[in-house]
């Protein structure tokens, strides 16, 4: 199990006598260390799997870790091992302790859109219809929760009338969530921390359960996550954290790279082991990464190296304008595919912001180069699809409170947040779902006659639709549902343009068509499914769609620098190496260049064999041609390792020459066939 590890990796696996920080540089095999350490704890140290927890940040990382561990350990002693995201661990704690926290079983989890809808309603009550404020308040509430600030603490610190309003909305938002028997994404961390702070006996129980904790990507933890780890570990100090302060690129969502340094204060016996051998990139690529990141201040110093030889020089390509930049990248990918037979999947194009991909997509399409966008929004994350799915979920399970809350007022039925809060409180007291509460006689004590009539009208209508779905062909019934509620009119009222509204309505029809195809595919066979199974399958489709994003089809990868973290590619292009793009204008204005430099470092260290950095000499801004300034990060690269291309007069000549060569290679390939 330890044979394939280098000396530093082996040392990290074997050290179990105190808290350990593994400072793991990009591509240094940190996942191998974590998975082998879990196996070592079980196989050699005799710790049972049910007493070990390993946490990370994404489902993909947790899935990969689980798969690797399962290849190393098996049998009864491995059972009950927790390998999950932070939020999943928090969810398990809340589920287990929901009574102590005052929640009914089966509480709902509000995603970002659910939370936004609730905040929008609360803002309307305050007379604020500014959509920019909506985004601001939602981000601010998330930030307060990550920093473990209660509405009372926020209110006491509020200095202006505007801050007072934000604090009031925060307090009301939390109150409504509780009334709906719901938690939001940030609560999944905050509530366990509050629980452990207020109930020492519950904390003691969880410390007995989790006797060794391993944490991946520690530089991405926020204050609440740090506190959750600190409390779970306690005096036992059975802790291994793996992180890299140079790859901390999520400050905008609360990540605190200083949490790595804080470990030394909270765990004075902390041991530090550095993983600096890289198993991904050539020496010139690593030298560039080391030199760029050396310009940031460091608590822990490290320097990456590899045995993969020097490799090709890093190309810095100047293009006349953004159109030429996109064409250069697209043409070169096609050229290298045809001449060197490099698969499209071996190329990745990285950029700072999603808007940079538009021109590139057009050029790739023109050259008929297949590509896939990583980190793009799933079909199931679109608002209209979430609305439709909520209606479908209610047809299968009317007691689905989250689905009920999403659509009870979509389109508007004059059922406001006050009515829903009272309905939620009544349902919680009675221990029933919101739908069931609407049918109870006692609800008349909680709602006035108009509000009562509106919610009951909705429930009666829903029951009629549900009955028809089970008695008739469900597809026409579902189509009729959206006609009955005039959903297309609702979309027109809330869309930026008629075209956008039509596209959204088409998405809903496409969803119903998918449902029809499912029902039709097994019709008349032993495997014939009903509407409830078909809808359940559709709910799972989202998960399948996400798995498809990880497919290995032969396509060029297009993704933002943020989305590229944790990935690697043989050939990498980084676009837009200009001031105000990378580093981003906001970071320059806020004097926060260090995180942008870490983004540059992350981009460089994705490349295994070749790296090309491109920039445009001019760009169009608001219809005007603007001369750009090359990124300061280009000046921080080792001059002797760079190859400059694209002087003032070379662009057109080189593009024409490359075009002829590509055409010639293409014709020669056709002749061979």
């Amino acid at each position: 199990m330890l044979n394939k590890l280098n000396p530093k990796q082996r040392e990290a696996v074997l050290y179990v006598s105190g808290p350990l920080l593994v400072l793991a540089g990009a591509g240094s095999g940190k996942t191998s260390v974590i998975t082998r350490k879990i196996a070592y704890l079980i196989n050699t140290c005799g710790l049972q799997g049910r007493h070990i927890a390993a946490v990370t940040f994404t489902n993909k990382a947790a899935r990969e870790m689980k798969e690797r561990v399962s290849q190393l350990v098996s049998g009864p002693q491995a059972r009950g091992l927790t390998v999950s995201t932070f939020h999943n661990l928090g969810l398990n704690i809340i589920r287990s302790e929901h009574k102590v926290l005052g929640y009914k079983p089966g509480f709902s989890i509000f995603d970002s859109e659910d939370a936004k809808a609730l905040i929008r309603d609360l803002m309307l009550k305050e007379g604020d219809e500014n959509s920019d404020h909506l985004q601001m308040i939602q981000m601010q509430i998330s930030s307060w929760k990550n920093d473990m600030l209660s509405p009372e603490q926020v209110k006491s610190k509020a200095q202006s009338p505007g801050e007072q309003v934000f604090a009031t909305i925060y307090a009301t938002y939390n109150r409504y969530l509780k009334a709906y028997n719901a938690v939001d994404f940030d609560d999944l961390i905050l509530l366990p921390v509050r629980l452990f702070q207020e109930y020492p006996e519950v904390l003691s129980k969880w410390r007995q359960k989790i006797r060794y904790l391993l944490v991946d990507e520690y530089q991405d933890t926020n204050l609440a996550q740090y506190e959750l780890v600190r409390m779970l570990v306690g005096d036992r100090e059975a802790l291994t954290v793996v992180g890299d302060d140079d790859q901390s690129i999520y400050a905008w969502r609360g990540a605190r790279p200083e949490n790595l340094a804080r470990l030394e204060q909270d765990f004075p016996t902390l041991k530090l082991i550095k993983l600096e051998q890289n198993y991904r990139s050539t020496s010139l690529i690593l030298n560039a990464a080391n030199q760029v990141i050396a310009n940031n201040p460091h608590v822990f110093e490290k320097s990456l190296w590899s045995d993969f030889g020097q490799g090709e020089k890093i190309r810095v390509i100047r293009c006349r304008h953004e159109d030429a930049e996109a064409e250069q990248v697209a043409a070169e990918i096609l050229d290298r595919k045809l001449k060197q037979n490099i698969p499209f999947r071996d190329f990745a194009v990285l950029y700072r912001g999603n808007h940079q991909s538009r021109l590139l997509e057009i050029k790739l399409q023109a050259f008929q180069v297949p590509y896939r966008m990583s980190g793009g929004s799933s079909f199931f994350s679109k608002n209209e699809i979430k609305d439709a799915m909520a209606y479908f979920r209610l047809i299968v399970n009317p007691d689905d409170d989250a689905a009920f809350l999403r659509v009870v007022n979509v389109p508007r039925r004059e059922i406001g947040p006050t009515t829903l809060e009272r309905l939620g409180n009544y349902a919680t007291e009675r221990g029933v779902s919101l739908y069931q509460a609407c049918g109870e006689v006692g609800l008349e004590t909680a709602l006035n006659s108009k509000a009562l009539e509106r919610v009951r009208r909705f429930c009666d209508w829903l029951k009629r639709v549900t009955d028809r779905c089970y008695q008739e062909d469900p597809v026409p019934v579902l189509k009729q549902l959206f006609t009955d509620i005039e959903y297309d009119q609702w979309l027109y009222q809330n869309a930026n343009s008629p075209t956008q509204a039509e596209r959204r309505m088409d998405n809903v029809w496409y969803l119903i068509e998918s449902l029809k195809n499912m029902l039709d595919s097994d019709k008349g066979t032993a495997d014939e499914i009903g509407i409830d199974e078909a809808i359940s399958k559709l709910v799972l489709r989202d998960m399948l769609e996400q798995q498809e994003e990880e497919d290995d089809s032969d396509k060029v990868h297009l993704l933002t620098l943020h989305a590229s973290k944790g990935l690697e590619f043989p050939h990498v292009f980084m676009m837009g190496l200009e001031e105000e793009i990378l580093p981003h204008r906001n970071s320059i204005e806020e004097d926060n260049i260090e995180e942008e430099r870490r983004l540059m470092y992350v981009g460089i260290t994705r490349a295994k064999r070749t790296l090309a950095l491109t920039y445009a000499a001019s760009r169009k801004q608001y219809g005007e041609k603007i001369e750009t300034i090359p990124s300061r990060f280009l000046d921080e690269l080792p001059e002797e390792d760079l190859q400059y291309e694209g002087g003032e007069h070379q662009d057109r000549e080189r593009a024409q020459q490359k075009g002829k060569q590509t055409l010639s290679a293409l014709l020669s390939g056709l002749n061979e066939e």
Side-chain angles (χ1 to χ4, degrees), residues 43 142-143 152 238 357 387 461 465 517 607 646 667 670:
N43 294 338
S142 177
S143 177
E152 294 73 32
S357 71
D387 287 346
W461 167 79
V465 172
N517 293 339
L667 289 169
L670 288 170

Side-chain angles (χ1 to χ4, degrees), residues 92 231 236 394 451:
N92 290 338
M231 295 186 84
R236 189 184 281 126
L394 279 176

Side-chain angles (χ1 to χ4, degrees), residues 408-409 411-416 419 450-451 454:
V408 69
N409 209 30
R412 296 242 180 255
R413 297 183 176 92
E414 296 181 61
I415 300 170
T419 298
K450 277 188 179 176
R454 285 173 190 144

Side-chain angles (χ1 to χ4, degrees), residues 67-127:
E67 285 165 8
R68 290 219 213 167
V69 171
S70 67
Q71 291 164 8
L72 298 169
V73 291
S74 59
Q77 70 271 31
R79 278 188 205 131
L81 170 70
T82 298
V83 180
S84 74
T85 62
F86 262 105
H87 290 90
N88 256 322
L89 175 64
L91 177 59
N92 290 338
I93 294 170
I94 297 169
R95 273 191 184 136
S96 179
E97 312 296 343
H98 68 269
K99 280 186 184 170
V100 185
L101 286 161
Y103 289 89
K104 291 185 296 183
F107 57 86
S108 301
I109 301 167
F110 271 36
D111 66 12
S112 175
E113 289 303 321
D114 296 328
K116 187 182 284 182
L118 175 55
I119 295 167
R120 184 188 291 115
D121 284 343
L122 297 176
M123 285 173 61
L124 287 171
K125 277 183 77 176
E126 295 286 334

Side-chain angles (χ1 to χ4, degrees), residues 136-231:
M136 205 188 306
I137 292 177
Q138 187 170 15
M139 286 176 69
Q140 186 60 73
I141 288 174
S142 177
S143 177
W144 283 329
K145 289 193 176 189
N146 289 337
D147 289 342
M148 301 191 307
L149 293 171
S150 68
E152 294 73 32
Q153 288 171 306
V154 169
K155 207 156 200 170
S156 68
K157 291 180 180 178
Q159 293 178 336
S160 68
E163 288 175 1
Q164 285 283 352
V165 170
F166 275 31
T168 302
I169 290 173
Y170 178 27
T172 316
Y173 169 77
N174 268 2
R175 203 175 74 237
Y176 276 49
L177 275 182
K178 194 71 185 281
Y180 296 161
N181 193 42
V183 298
D184 67 17
F185 199 61
D186 299 308
D187 285 331
L188 296 176
I189 308 296
L190 179 61
L191 288 176
V193 172
R194 291 271 183 257
L195 177 76
F196 292 159
Q197 287 172 338
E198 292 170 28
Y199 298 93
E201 68 282 7
V202 177
L203 174 58
S204 177
K205 182 175 95 177
W206 280 88
R207 281 180 177 171
Q208 277 301 105
K209 179 176 166 55
I210 299 175
R211 298 183 193 175
Y212 202 100
L213 185 62
L214 302 99
V215 187
D216 189 19
E217 304 286 10
Y218 205 72
Q219 75 282 348
D220 292 338
T221 54
N222 59 37
L223 190 61
Q225 286 160 336
Y226 183 94
E227 198 57 26
L228 182 63
V229 168
R230 195 183 66 78
M231 295 186 84

Side-chain angles (χ1 to χ4, degrees), residues 287-288 291-293 295 314 316 577-579 582-583 597 600 604 613 615 629-642 644:
N287 191 34
Q291 197 149 316
V292 165
I293 206 65
N295 290 281
I314 293 163
V316 178
L577 267 291
E578 299 149 37
E579 291 290 299
L582 184 69
R597 189 174 282 113
M600 177 78 177
I604 293 171
L613 310 172
Y615 69 95
I629 301 169
S631 170
R632 68 190 73 188
F633 300 144
L634 293 174
D635 297 331
E636 296 174 358
L637 294 167
E639 186 79 23
E640 64 280 8
D641 296 345
L642 305 181
Y644 290 95

